[in-house]
Amino acid sequence: IADWVMLARRYANNPTVIGADLWNEPKGTSPWTIWFAAAERIGNAILAVNPSLLIIVEGSGENQVWWGSNLYGVITNPVILNIQEQLLYSVHDYGTSVFPQAYMFDPAFPTILKDIWTPYWAYLFVNNPNPRAIFVGEFGDPLTLNINKVWMQTLLNFMNGDWFLNGQNQLKPDEKGL
């Protein structure tokens, strides 16, 4: 925590530093029940010295689709910060060149992607009466294979409001996508 506080102080007046991604792709020994409490302690310590920073919290590595993309634990254990509006949940998603997930080869692909994204992280925003901002902090693929081009376009459509992947935008006129 002391290192994060030192960095928050050092960059407090630097307008190009907008946030602190507390842990890139938490995985292995940190289930959400441990990680969310650590994120609260670290985030609040940072905000005590630099209240303008976004506190970026990635999902845990348990039951993961991608490292850092399981935010299911937020349902029962949300991260609570002293300045709650500075919280930004973040996820990662990739095409098959990074790791060929089994669902990418499911006959229901790409429609099945909504069934992956929604319960792991998109539920925080999609059809939520109190939506949370979600930052898709890492995504990509060289797009050399057609399957990855389809995945990328599907992710972009989803982030822009096509929650059901049916070609219909579910955003209200005054809403923005993820």
Side-chain angles (χ1 to χ4, degrees):
I1 294 176
D3 290 339
W4 272 116
V5 169
M6 178 272 301
L7 289 169
R9 275 195 187 108
R10 176 182 289 174
Y11 297 105
N13 295 314
N14 185 331
T16 64
V17 178
I18 63 166
D21 189 340
L22 302 184
W23 185 6
N24 183 48
E25 299 181 346
K27 57 190 172 290
T29 59
S30 295
W32 184 260
T33 53
I34 295 171
W35 171 224
F36 92 95
E40 287 178 349
R41 287 191 306 275
I42 299 165
N44 284 323
I46 291 169
L47 291 172
V49 298
N50 190 341
S52 64
L53 282 178
L54 292 171
I55 302 302
I56 302 167
V57 178
E58 296 182 25
S60 68
E62 59 191 326
N63 303 318
Q64 69 221 19
V65 176
W66 291 106
W67 290 339
S69 290
N70 184 352
L71 289 169
Y72 187 77
V74 174
I75 293 171
T76 54
N77 295 302
V79 173
I80 305 296
L81 298 176
N82 294 334
I83 308 173
Q84 193 65 18
E85 61 270 14
Q86 295 306 108
L87 174 63
L88 182 59
Y89 289 112
S90 178
V91 297
H92 298 173
D93 204 85
Y94 293 98
T96 63
S97 67
V98 174
F99 184 82
Q101 299 280 3
Y103 60 81
M104 295 266 199
F105 305 98
D106 188 288
F109 178 85
T111 307
I112 194 173
L113 292 173
K114 68 178 172 33
D115 300 324
I116 303 297
W117 297 328
T118 301
Y120 279 100
W121 55 267
Y123 74 91
L124 291 167
F125 188 87
V126 175
N127 298 324
N128 186 336
N130 300 302
R132 293 291 323 169
I134 301 169
F135 176 54
V136 183
E138 289 183 24
F139 66 100
D141 191 277
L143 304 178
T144 55
L145 299 174
N146 189 55
I147 189 172
N148 295 321
K149 292 175 185 175
V150 170
W151 159 80
M152 176 65 82
Q153 188 59 59
T154 304
L155 178 61
L156 294 174
N157 291 347
F158 189 83
M159 290 190 311
N160 284 309
D162 186 1
W163 311 136
F164 303 113
L165 300 180
N166 61 4
Q168 302 294 314
N169 188 328
Q170 280 78 44
L171 291 171
K172 296 176 184 120
D174 62 333
E175 290 181 320
K176 304 275 189 248
L178 301 176

